[in-house]
Amino acid sequence: MLDRCDRVQIAVHDAAKAAQRFNQLLGSQVVRHDHSRHLSARRTILAVGESEFELCEADGAGLTQDFLAKRGEGLMTAGYCTADLDSMVKRWEGLGIPYDRDAEQLYLSPETTFGLPIVISESTYRPRVGPVSFLYETTNTLISDWRRVAAVYAGLFGLDPSRFSEIGSERFGYIGTLTLFDPPNRLDRIELSQVTDNVHAMGRFAHKHGDSLYMCYVEVHDWLNVRQRLLDAGARYTPRGSDPATDPDGGWVHPKELHGLLLGISRTGLAWDWSGREELVPPV
């Protein structure tokens, strides 16, 4: 029932300042402003490729203010979309799952989804803005058993476990699976990463915060453009290869560069390499 990774919500102190930084590094554009009752936040919504990033400023006591007080600026909510919000509601009500409906968005609490705050919006196909293509992954870092989490998510969201792709990384210290929504047509998924130690960055994060939302990933159709933006800004990022100035594939932007957001970036199709379909990776 999930179509795509659609958006993320990011808690910030100054949305105007954050919007300028996202534009500088990712070529995003402000498309609208609104207010969220559920988040108790004023929102500045950016077009980032085909996806949206919501910059959320606290508007009184509530979730956004609590997040900022506890964690500081950073990634607050993972967002997905479905073609039929009412059917999703019926599914959850049949399972006895509590939710909140705020305008045309549905919210699940992190207590329901293993520390992953989730917002579901109605599927909307948007023109692509800037060098980014789309958001395709949000990472649920786990202390819990990833197999149990995958089974729960399959039930909650009508996902097909036969489409999932197991993953693991000694470099980053985790095992788990990608809950791919519609392979090989799209990369969209929730990454379930169960940490294997408390030495690597992800492991330290999970042991501090428990099951939680860790980072997100975008695909870019013009990596050279984004790479140059990062270099021109003197932004800290870790390339996939050895040289930040020449790496052809992408990398990871440090959270301090994007108001607390740890952002992975990959060139078109590269992510199929670790998504169970290496044959779909186009040459550089």
Side-chain angles (χ1 to χ4, degrees):
M1 296 182 70
L2 294 182
D3 284 345
R4 288 175 290 125
C5 294
D6 183 61
R7 68 189 58 246
V8 289
Q9 295 174 331
I10 305 161
V12 299
H13 294 298
D14 185 336
K17 180 180 178 181
Q20 290 178 347
R21 185 60 167 173
F22 276 81
N23 172 264
Q24 181 185 19
L25 298 187
L26 301 177
S28 61
Q29 295 180 11
V30 175
V31 290
R32 65 186 182 280
H33 302 270
D34 66 12
H35 180 271
S36 169
R37 172 192 55 78
H38 178 85
L39 299 172
S40 298
R42 299 182 300 275
R43 297 189 293 193
T44 297
I45 299 167
L46 308 179
V48 183
E50 299 166 13
S51 309
E52 292 189 337
F53 285 18
E54 301 182 10
L55 305 178
C56 302
E57 291 180 288
D59 187 21
L63 289 175
T64 304
Q65 186 177 91
D66 292 346
F67 186 96
L68 288 166
K70 182 179 180 179
R71 301 269 291 269
E73 294 187 311
L75 182 57
M76 184 167 57
T77 319
Y80 314 101
C81 63
T82 179
D84 192 342
L85 285 177
D86 291 336
S87 290
M88 186 70 76
V89 165
K90 290 177 182 178
R91 186 180 194 89
W92 294 346
E93 290 178 345
L95 294 170
I97 301 299
Y99 67 92
D100 184 26
R101 187 162 193 160
D102 183 5
E104 293 305 309
Q105 291 182 314
L106 308 175
Y107 287 87
L108 287 175
S109 75
E111 288 75 22
T112 299
T113 50
F114 300 90
L116 182 68
I118 288 178
V119 58
I120 308 291
S121 306
E122 188 171 2
S123 299
T124 302
Y125 295 90
R126 311 176 187 93
R128 189 171 288 179
V129 174
V132 174
S133 299
F134 45 74
L135 174 74
Y136 69 84
E137 179 180 290
T138 43
T139 300
N140 190 179
T141 188
L142 299 165
I143 302 295
S144 299
D145 180 2
W146 68 263
R147 295 173 181 82
R148 175 171 172 249
V149 179
V152 170
Y153 284 4
L156 280 176
F157 304 120
L159 303 176
D160 180 357
S162 70
R163 295 177 166 185
F164 296 176
S165 182
E166 290 191 22
I167 53 173
S169 171
E170 292 185 4
R171 177 180 181 182
F172 297 113
Y174 66 84
I175 56 174
T177 195
L178 303 173
T179 67
L180 290 152
F181 304 162
D182 186 26
N185 296 313
R186 291 188 63 95
L187 283 162
D188 303 77
R189 70 284 198 98
I190 305 170
E191 180 185 281
L192 304 181
S193 294
Q194 180 184 346
V195 299
T196 55
D197 59 51
N198 60 0
V199 176
H200 294 84
M202 184 184 289
R204 295 195 301 271
F205 184 92
H207 282 84
K208 179 178 181 180
H209 299 292
D211 296 345
S212 53
L213 173 59
Y214 181 59
M215 64 173 294
C216 65
Y217 240 109
V218 295
E219 180 173 283
V220 298
H221 55 272
D222 192 350
W223 164 239
L224 298 184
N225 180 307
V226 176
R227 187 179 70 190
Q228 194 60 50
R229 288 171 179 268
L230 294 168
L231 293 171
D232 290 346
R236 286 163 291 180
Y237 84 94
T238 301
R240 287 194 163 273
S242 58
D243 187 351
T246 61
D247 187 278
D249 290 331
W252 297 269
V253 182
H254 194 285
K256 290 185 178 180
E257 302 297 343
L258 287 170
H259 294 262
L261 172 66
L262 173 56
L263 181 68
I265 300 174
S266 61
R267 66 173 173 87
T268 298
L270 180 69
W272 288 117
D273 183 49
W274 58 89
S275 305
R277 289 175 170 82
E278 297 88 348
E279 71 278 4
L280 297 180
V281 178
V284 176

